[in-house]
Amino acid sequence: MQDTKQQWFKEAKFGLFIHWGLYALLAGEYNGKKTDRIAEWIMNDLDIPAEEYEKLAAQFNPVEFDADGIVRKAKEWGMKYIVFTSKHHEGFAMWDSKCSDYNVVKATPYGRDIVRQFREACDRHGMKLGFYYSQAQDWHDPDGYMHRKDNSGKNYRAYLERKCFPQLRELLTEYGEVALIWFDTPMGTTREESQEMVDLVKRLQPNCIVSGRIGNGLGEYMTTGDNFIPRLPYEGDWEVPATLNDTWGFNKDDHNWKDAEEIIHLLVKINSRGGNYLLNIGPEASGHVPEESIKILDEVGKYVNENEEAIFGTKRVGIYAYELDWGMLTRKDHKLYVHVFKPRRRVELLNIGNRITGAYLVADKRPLEFETGATCEGCSSIEVEVPEEYFDRKNYSICLEMEEEEPIFEPIIG
Ligand code: H79
């Protein structure tokens, strides 16, 4: 079982992933050729040579970039942490790296440190900040791993010592308190090499969490597959990295946005199973965040804020005896939250063996009438009266107060 030992991570439940790098300039298309895949992979998928791709840096001038605006939005959406791609597989550093000039300060007309701007904005708004760092794949360094290429002649050790370790050291010593390092795709990294990375992180910042994709079983929490929700209960700490459309980096042709309601249901589903939802935005090359993502997240944020109590700090719910087709459950000690996703006049839960001492609407804490009893089949039933003005509403939550600490999902035949 994986344990971050960081209470903030266990309680956070909702975070913002930001994928931003030179690939945003291509936005899914290079020399008239489109990638139908995730846009940050364009260099690999369209076989763009490093000496061509690196020229993009000369065009990177995100005059609309506003770190403060993004962090303020994340806060408004109810998110508790941000993970920013300090260096993705393309190998370009979004900070003033001393050990590679292939970075946003030295190689672009913009010349300003993006990581530092996020650091300062997060400090102003009391937001946790973590860094995505592609430890093994580096398509710019001749000795970094490349996907589906022959890596056999490479001197991975040389890359690690020249770029990976020194860059991690910079991120962990010059950018304040780093909440986590989000490692990804370990490729051929050995256990000893992964351990060296972990040791480096922990030596410099003992409270900095190491993500699941450090590889070799050394992660401090489980990172699920991209957009994948575990089907079985997992007791340890875990997180689902997820997209709003079908790409991480900005792709001008990807309009396959999920709607706000779908995102709300995914968030509650993940929380109900005990995980965190790390949801991505991919800013354009100008720094502008696509309107569609803002619109979706503004709406999601309304639900999150209104139902904050039923989301943050909740713990994993055991498998409920009957899958509800109209809602989902989350819980805290002595509280069972019923998220109602379809309109109804009464909320009925069967086979809950707890003593219910009270019920209230989470949005405004107003007490609700409830009845406990037995159905004609003889199992226990709890029925809560929905207030009249909520009869036609969906996406709200109700709290059931329980005498016992945890819900007891068992039939009480009586
Ligand atoms: O940063 C995001 C992705 O770029 C990264 N992880 C998330 C958080 C990622 N790295 N690898 N993968 C995701 C999975 C790789 C899938 C692949 Fe493919 C399938 C590589 C080649 C085939 C997708 C399709 C990417 C390129 C083509």
Side-chain angles (χ1 to χ4, degrees), residues 214-235:
I214 182 74
N216 295 302
L218 294 174
E220 293 178 289
Y221 66 87
M222 176 179 73
T223 309
T224 70
D226 299 355
N227 287 301
F228 182 79
I229 302 178
R231 280 164 290 197
L232 292 172
Y234 180 75
E235 265 189 67

Side-chain angles (χ1 to χ4, degrees), residues 19 37-38 40-41 45 88-89 147-148 184-185 226:
H19 273 71
R37 296 168 161 176
I38 47 183
E40 71 283 3
W41 273 69
D45 292 350
H88 204 268
H89 308 330
H147 184 81
R148 284 200 190 135
D184 200 6
T185 65
D226 299 355

